[in-house]
Amino acid sequence: MYYESYFDLKETPFSISPDPRYLYLTQNHREALAHLLYGVSSNGGFVLLTGEIGAGKTTVCQCLLEQLPVNTDVAYILNPKLEPWEFLATICDELGISYPGNDTSLKHYIDLIHGYLLEAHSKGRNTVLMVDEAQNLSTELIEHLRLLTNLETREKKLLQIMLVGQPELRDKIALPEMQQMAQRITARFHLGPLSKSEVAAYVRHRLNVAGAKRELFRDDSLNQLWRLTGGVPRLINIICDRALLGTYTLKRHKVDRPVLEDAAAEVLGQHVKHGAAMSTAWLWGMLAIGLAAAAFWATYYFRDAAPANQILPSFESAQSAEEEVVSMAPSLLDNTAADLAQVNEPQSDAPPAGDDPGEPEIIDEASVLEVMSPPPVVAEDIMTPETAAGIGVPEIEASALADADLMQPFVFPQQLSSDALMLSAYSALFRRWNIEYLPKVGVEPCQFAAGRQLGCMSGQGNLPILLQLNRPSLLTLYDGAGRAYSAALIGVDEADVILILGGELRRVPLTSLSQWWYGEYQVLWQLPPGYIQPLKKGSSGTAVVWLLQQLGETINADPVLRNFDEQLEQQVKLFQRGNGLIPDGVVGPRTIIALNNASGAELPRLTESAKE
């Protein structure tokens, strides 16, 4: 795109391709992903995921594919509008099953698939069929899918099927003739649109991933974006892309509301009236304020005519008058409302139905995306000496942690820039490792960590995931306007989490954290000696020696020659099963962290920090 270099971006932030790196997991998306993960781990049946066009269903599916256990085979069908025999042949193609050409016998294909599933099961492998755009399935083909789930052993179904589609899919499953199919659905989820605050956070998240170093959208343009798109991610992407292009053409620095509305008009193919904020609701408010002020003035003017002890009741009467005026305002402005009836946008800032999901519940099957390089902290001047002194990282002593709940209520430091907040959080994170963080222009924090025998692991998860890792973490919090704030999570106890935000120690109730945290985290972890990449069967060297020591194995006289053999792989799998990890026999960051935790190594931990 033309505007990338102009806005100092590394890549186009609003592509509509389902890139998992750009996945912004709202509570709805996390629950959708959890349902798909449940489908992989369950003993069979159907999982149904529906959502409006552009709600992010395919992106969630792509995210799932990034996380599947290595013993899972997937047949992913993107276009199910096929004849039954063609559909079964496509499954065979996806799974690598050979079949004679031009054979249209359904029984032949089903027998071949059944044989494959039995063989895969005997090898300890799971098979998943994922059908996207499943609303295009015919009722006949849905019945054939139901019959495929009859392929089973005495212990489990041999095939898990995930149907992903638009809301019409729910209607089709609800038909009377689909009753047998409906009874086999073990989990259902409908992916709704983004709320007003989630739209702002979504836009900023994608810009951050693309390398943005400053805000590129004005707040009023983000509010209008939500109204125009209804919170549909695909529309958000297309309109934002056009809006950035328009802002670049005008040589401006931020997307304002008129430019956004022009972009929306181009995308939606309809006129969006500029200045639509001059709406009926606005006029109601202005008239209410004016009449309330008049009522207050009248009370003040005639205060001398009332006894002294009646002055306060008179003021309360003025408040009642204000409330009455506000209630009368719609009827007083009927004619004006009629004149503005042609305005194309909604006349209220009230979010769509379901905008307030309440307190999100914890989901065990959270997404874990290991992205090894977070957005860099770069700028000509990251901080002035005065700013650095103002957000210095406090020394965390036991008494400070105990008194953290006596500090000021949780508020976001609006006066600090994103770079300053990130620097403060990284400084606090490295301080837990007894390292002074010394940022340099162009050097990412993870590059700094690698030079000190530390690795970075980023991902999307929840508090149970962080407690399992048990390491101080960098969290990305979002305020009500969707602005991102970097904070260091340094402790967790029975009721609270302990954060460092903008250089200040904060104690936040566990039940409140989910209001601001949508699951983005990063942890530092200790690299084993000689570790370059995940260890697996066939690896050798000092990192394998370290692994043997962690597992308590007696090492022979020449340990460096010891290879990662099948016996060691089985030991690793046994350890992984005992620690709630995917037993794939590969020793990556999560397994190494678990090994360090089990060994009692003197490393910074979340739970111990809270108990100091």
Side-chain angles (χ1 to χ4, degrees), residues 492-540:
V492 179
D493 58 25
E494 293 80 3
D496 304 309
V497 297
I498 300 168
L499 303 172
I500 294 179
L501 176 62
E504 295 183 354
L505 198 63
R506 310 288 180 87
R507 182 180 285 274
V508 179
L510 291 173
T511 54
S512 299
L513 181 64
S514 57
Q515 297 177 25
W516 308 296
W517 181 51
Y518 293 97
E520 297 173 61
Y521 71 86
Q522 183 178 95
V523 298
L524 300 178
W525 54 284
Q526 183 71 57
L527 292 170
Y531 180 88
I532 299 175
Q533 59 187 1
L535 306 175
K536 57 185 178 180
K537 189 176 177 180
S539 299
S540 61

Coordinates of all heavy atoms in Angstrom, one line a residue, residues 492-540:
V492 N 0.5 -12.7 42.2 CA -0.9 -13.1 42.2 C -1.1 -13.8 43.6 O -0.3 -14.6 44.0 CB -1.3 -14.1 41.1 CG1 -2.7 -14.6 41.2 CG2 -1.0 -13.4 39.7
D493 N -2.2 -13.4 44.3 CA -2.5 -14.2 45.5 C -4.0 -14.6 45.4 O -4.6 -14.6 44.3 CB -2.2 -13.3 46.8 CG -3.0 -12.0 46.8 OD1 -4.1 -11.9 46.1 OD2 -2.6 -11.1 47.5
E494 N -4.6 -15.0 46.6 CA -5.9 -15.6 46.5 C -7.0 -14.6 46.0 O -7.9 -15.1 45.4 CB -6.3 -16.0 48.0 CG -5.5 -17.1 48.5 CD -4.2 -16.7 49.1 OE1 -3.9 -15.5 49.1 OE2 -3.4 -17.5 49.5
A495 N -6.8 -13.3 46.2 CA -7.9 -12.4 45.8 C -7.5 -11.4 44.8 O -8.4 -10.8 44.1 CB -8.4 -11.7 47.1
D496 N -6.2 -11.1 44.6 CA -5.8 -10.0 43.8 C -4.6 -10.3 42.9 O -3.9 -11.3 43.1 CB -5.3 -8.8 44.7 CG -6.4 -8.4 45.7 OD1 -7.5 -8.1 45.3 OD2 -6.1 -8.3 46.9
V497 N -4.4 -9.4 41.9 CA -3.2 -9.4 41.2 C -2.4 -8.1 41.5 O -3.0 -7.1 41.8 CB -3.4 -9.5 39.6 CG1 -4.1 -10.8 39.3 CG2 -4.2 -8.3 39.1
I498 N -1.1 -8.2 41.4 CA -0.3 -7.0 41.7 C 0.4 -6.6 40.4 O 1.1 -7.3 39.8 CB 0.7 -7.4 42.8 CG1 0.0 -7.8 44.1 CG2 1.6 -6.1 43.1 CD1 0.9 -8.4 45.1
L499 N 0.1 -5.3 40.0 CA 0.6 -4.8 38.8 C 1.5 -3.6 39.0 O 1.4 -2.9 40.1 CB -0.5 -4.3 37.9 CG -1.6 -5.3 37.5 CD1 -2.8 -4.6 36.8 CD2 -1.1 -6.4 36.6
I500 N 2.4 -3.4 38.1 CA 3.1 -2.1 38.0 C 2.7 -1.4 36.7 O 2.9 -1.9 35.6 CB 4.7 -2.3 38.0 CG1 5.1 -2.8 39.4 CG2 5.4 -0.9 37.8 CD1 6.6 -3.1 39.5
L501 N 2.0 -0.3 36.8 CA 1.5 0.4 35.7 C 2.0 1.9 35.8 O 1.7 2.6 36.7 CB -0.1 0.4 35.7 CG -0.8 1.2 34.6 CD1 -0.4 0.6 33.2 CD2 -2.3 1.1 34.8
G502 N 2.7 2.3 34.8 CA 3.3 3.6 34.8 C 4.2 3.9 35.9 O 4.3 5.0 36.4
G503 N 4.9 2.9 36.4 CA 5.8 3.0 37.5 C 5.2 3.0 38.9 O 5.9 3.1 39.9
E504 N 3.9 2.7 39.0 CA 3.2 2.7 40.3 C 2.7 1.3 40.6 O 2.2 0.6 39.7 CB 2.0 3.7 40.3 CG 2.4 5.1 40.2 CD 1.3 6.1 40.3 OE1 0.1 5.6 40.4 OE2 1.5 7.3 40.4
L505 N 2.8 0.9 41.8 CA 2.3 -0.4 42.3 C 0.8 -0.4 42.5 O 0.3 0.5 43.2 CB 3.0 -0.8 43.6 CG 3.1 -2.3 44.0 CD1 3.8 -3.1 43.0 CD2 3.7 -2.4 45.3
R506 N 0.1 -1.4 41.9 CA -1.4 -1.4 42.0 C -1.8 -2.8 42.4 O -1.3 -3.8 41.9 CB -2.0 -1.1 40.6 CG -1.5 0.2 40.0 CD -2.0 1.5 40.7 NE -1.5 2.7 40.1 CZ -2.1 3.3 39.1 NH1 -3.3 2.8 38.7 NH2 -1.6 4.4 38.6
R507 N -2.7 -2.9 43.3 CA -3.4 -4.2 43.6 C -4.8 -4.2 43.1 O -5.6 -3.3 43.4 CB -3.4 -4.4 45.2 CG -4.0 -5.7 45.6 CD -4.0 -5.9 47.1 NE -2.6 -6.1 47.6 CZ -2.1 -7.4 47.7 NH1 -2.8 -8.4 47.3 NH2 -0.9 -7.5 48.2
V508 N -5.1 -5.2 42.2 CA -6.4 -5.2 41.5 C -7.1 -6.5 41.8 O -6.5 -7.6 41.7 CB -6.1 -5.1 40.0 CG1 -7.5 -5.2 39.2 CG2 -5.4 -3.8 39.6
P509 N -8.3 -6.5 42.2 CA -9.1 -7.7 42.4 C -9.1 -8.7 41.2 O -9.2 -8.2 40.1 CB -10.5 -7.3 42.8 CG -10.3 -5.9 43.2 CD -9.2 -5.3 42.4
L510 N -8.9 -9.9 41.5 CA -8.9 -10.9 40.4 C -10.2 -10.8 39.5 O -10.1 -10.9 38.3 CB -8.9 -12.3 40.9 CG -7.6 -12.8 41.6 CD1 -7.8 -14.1 42.3 CD2 -6.4 -12.8 40.6
T511 N -11.3 -10.5 40.1 CA -12.6 -10.4 39.4 C -12.6 -9.2 38.5 O -13.5 -9.1 37.6 CB -13.8 -10.4 40.3 OG1 -13.6 -9.4 41.3 CG2 -13.9 -11.8 41.1
S512 N -11.8 -8.2 38.8 CA -11.8 -6.9 38.0 C -10.9 -6.9 36.8 O -11.0 -6.2 35.9 CB -11.5 -5.7 38.9 OG -12.4 -5.6 39.9
L513 N -9.8 -7.8 36.9 CA -8.8 -7.8 35.8 C -9.4 -7.9 34.4 O -8.9 -7.3 33.5 CB -7.7 -8.8 36.1 CG -6.6 -8.9 35.1 CD1 -5.8 -7.6 35.2 CD2 -5.7 -10.1 35.4
S514 N -10.4 -8.8 34.3 CA -10.9 -9.1 33.0 C -11.6 -8.0 32.4 O -12.0 -8.0 31.2 CB -11.8 -10.3 33.0 OG -12.9 -10.1 34.0
Q515 N -11.9 -6.9 33.1 CA -12.5 -5.7 32.6 C -11.6 -5.0 31.6 O -12.0 -4.3 30.7 CB -13.0 -4.7 33.7 CG -14.0 -5.3 34.6 CD -14.3 -4.3 35.7 OE1 -14.1 -3.1 35.6 NE2 -14.8 -4.8 36.9
W516 N -10.3 -5.1 31.9 CA -9.3 -4.4 31.1 C -8.3 -5.3 30.3 O -7.6 -4.8 29.4 CB -8.5 -3.5 32.1 CG -9.3 -2.6 32.9 CD1 -10.2 -1.6 32.5 CD2 -9.5 -2.7 34.4 NE1 -10.8 -1.1 33.6 CE2 -10.4 -1.7 34.7 CE3 -8.9 -3.4 35.3 CZ2 -10.8 -1.5 36.1 CZ3 -9.2 -3.2 36.7 CH2 -10.2 -2.3 37.0
W517 N -8.2 -6.5 30.7 CA -7.3 -7.4 30.1 C -8.0 -8.4 29.2 O -8.9 -9.2 29.7 CB -6.4 -8.1 31.1 CG -5.4 -9.0 30.6 CD1 -4.5 -8.8 29.6 CD2 -5.2 -10.4 30.9 NE1 -3.7 -9.8 29.4 CE2 -4.1 -10.9 30.1 CE3 -5.8 -11.3 31.8 CZ2 -3.6 -12.2 30.2 CZ3 -5.3 -12.6 31.9 CH2 -4.3 -13.0 31.1
Y518 N -7.6 -8.5 27.9 CA -8.3 -9.4 26.9 C -7.4 -10.6 26.6 O -7.6 -11.3 25.6 CB -8.6 -8.6 25.7 CG -9.7 -7.6 25.9 CD1 -9.4 -6.3 26.1 CD2 -11.1 -8.0 25.9 CE1 -10.4 -5.3 26.3 CE2 -12.0 -7.0 26.1 CZ -11.7 -5.7 26.3 OH -12.7 -4.8 26.6
G519 N -6.4 -10.8 27.4 CA -5.6 -12.1 27.3 C -4.2 -11.9 26.7 O -3.5 -12.9 26.6
E520 N -3.8 -10.7 26.2 CA -2.5 -10.6 25.6 C -1.4 -10.5 26.7 O -1.5 -9.8 27.7 CB -2.4 -9.2 24.8 CG -3.3 -9.2 23.6 CD -3.3 -7.8 23.0 OE1 -2.2 -7.4 22.5 OE2 -4.4 -7.1 23.0
Y521 N -0.4 -11.4 26.5 CA 0.7 -11.4 27.6 C 2.0 -11.7 26.9 O 2.1 -12.1 25.8 CB 0.4 -12.5 28.6 CG 0.5 -13.9 28.1 CD1 1.7 -14.5 28.2 CD2 -0.6 -14.6 27.6 CE1 1.9 -15.8 27.7 CE2 -0.5 -15.9 27.2 CZ 0.8 -16.5 27.2 OH 0.9 -17.8 26.8
Q522 N 3.1 -11.4 27.7 CA 4.4 -11.8 27.3 C 5.2 -12.2 28.6 O 5.1 -11.5 29.6 CB 5.1 -10.7 26.6 CG 6.5 -11.1 26.1 CD 7.2 -10.0 25.3 OE1 7.9 -9.2 25.9 NE2 6.8 -9.9 24.0
V523 N 5.9 -13.3 28.5 CA 6.7 -13.7 29.7 C 8.2 -13.8 29.2 O 8.5 -14.1 28.0 CB 6.2 -15.0 30.3 CG1 4.8 -14.8 30.8 CG2 6.3 -16.1 29.3
L524 N 9.1 -13.6 30.2 CA 10.5 -13.9 30.0 C 10.8 -15.3 30.6 O 10.2 -15.6 31.6 CB 11.4 -12.9 30.6 CG 11.2 -11.5 30.1 CD1 12.1 -10.5 30.9 CD2 11.5 -11.3 28.6
W525 N 11.6 -16.1 30.0 CA 11.9 -17.4 30.5 C 13.4 -17.7 30.3 O 14.1 -17.2 29.4 CB 11.1 -18.5 29.8 CG 11.1 -18.5 28.3 CD1 10.5 -17.7 27.5 CD2 11.9 -19.5 27.5 NE1 10.8 -18.0 26.2 CE2 11.6 -19.1 26.2 CE3 12.7 -20.6 27.8 CZ2 12.2 -19.8 25.1 CZ3 13.2 -21.3 26.7 CH2 13.0 -20.9 25.4
Q526 N 13.9 -18.5 31.2 CA 15.4 -18.8 31.2 C 15.7 -19.8 30.1 O 15.2 -20.9 30.0 CB 15.8 -19.4 32.6 CG 17.2 -19.7 32.7 CD 18.0 -18.4 32.9 OE1 17.8 -17.6 33.8 NE2 19.0 -18.3 32.0
L527 N 16.7 -19.4 29.2 CA 17.1 -20.3 28.2 C 18.1 -21.3 28.7 O 19.0 -20.9 29.4 CB 17.8 -19.5 27.1 CG 16.9 -18.5 26.2 CD1 17.8 -17.6 25.4 CD2 16.0 -19.3 25.4
P528 N 17.9 -22.6 28.4 CA 18.9 -23.6 28.8 C 20.2 -23.3 28.1 O 20.3 -22.7 27.0 CB 18.3 -24.9 28.4 CG 16.8 -24.6 28.2 CD 16.8 -23.2 27.7
P529 N 21.3 -23.8 28.7 CA 22.6 -23.6 28.0 C 22.6 -24.3 26.7 O 22.2 -25.5 26.6 CB 23.6 -24.2 29.0 CG 22.8 -25.1 29.9 CD 21.5 -24.4 30.0
G530 N 23.1 -23.6 25.7 CA 23.2 -24.2 24.3 C 21.9 -24.3 23.6 O 21.8 -24.9 22.5
Y531 N 20.8 -23.7 24.1 CA 19.5 -23.9 23.5 C 19.4 -22.9 22.4 O 19.6 -21.7 22.5 CB 18.4 -23.6 24.6 CG 17.0 -23.7 24.0 CD1 16.3 -24.9 24.0 CD2 16.3 -22.6 23.5 CE1 15.0 -25.0 23.5 CE2 15.0 -22.7 23.0 CZ 14.4 -23.9 23.1 OH 13.1 -24.0 22.6
I532 N 19.0 -23.4 21.2 CA 18.8 -22.5 20.0 C 17.4 -22.6 19.5 O 16.8 -21.7 19.1 CB 19.8 -22.9 18.9 CG1 21.3 -22.7 19.4 CG2 19.6 -22.0 17.6 CD1 22.3 -23.1 18.4
Q533 N 16.9 -23.9 19.5 CA 15.5 -24.1 19.0 C 14.9 -25.3 19.8 O 15.7 -25.9 20.5 CB 15.6 -24.5 17.5 CG 16.4 -25.7 17.2 CD 16.6 -25.9 15.7 OE1 16.1 -25.2 14.9 NE2 17.3 -27.0 15.3
P534 N 13.6 -25.5 19.7 CA 13.0 -26.6 20.4 C 13.7 -27.9 20.3 O 14.1 -28.3 19.2 CB 11.6 -26.6 19.9 CG 11.3 -25.2 19.5 CD 12.6 -24.7 18.9
L535 N 13.8 -28.6 21.4 CA 14.5 -29.9 21.4 C 13.5 -31.0 21.0 O 12.4 -31.0 21.5 CB 15.1 -30.2 22.8 CG 16.1 -29.1 23.3 CD1 16.5 -29.5 24.7 CD2 17.3 -29.0 22.4
K536 N 13.9 -31.9 20.2 CA 13.1 -33.0 19.8 C 13.9 -34.2 19.4 O 15.2 -34.1 19.5 CB 12.2 -32.6 18.7 CG 12.9 -32.1 17.4 CD 11.9 -31.7 16.4 CE 12.6 -31.1 15.1 NZ 11.7 -30.6 14.1
K537 N 13.3 -35.3 19.1 CA 14.0 -36.5 18.8 C 15.0 -36.2 17.7 O 14.7 -35.7 16.6 CB 13.0 -37.6 18.3 CG 13.6 -39.0 18.1 CD 12.5 -40.0 17.8 CE 13.0 -41.3 17.5 NZ 12.0 -42.3 17.1
G538 N 16.3 -36.6 18.0 CA 17.4 -36.4 17.0 C 18.3 -35.2 17.5 O 19.4 -35.1 16.9
S539 N 17.8 -34.4 18.4 CA 18.6 -33.3 18.9 C 19.8 -33.8 19.7 O 19.8 -34.9 20.3 CB 17.8 -32.3 19.7 OG 16.8 -31.7 19.0
S540 N 20.9 -33.0 19.9 CA 22.0 -33.3 20.7 C 22.7 -32.0 21.2 O 22.3 -30.9 20.7 CB 23.0 -34.2 19.9 OG 23.5 -33.5 18.8

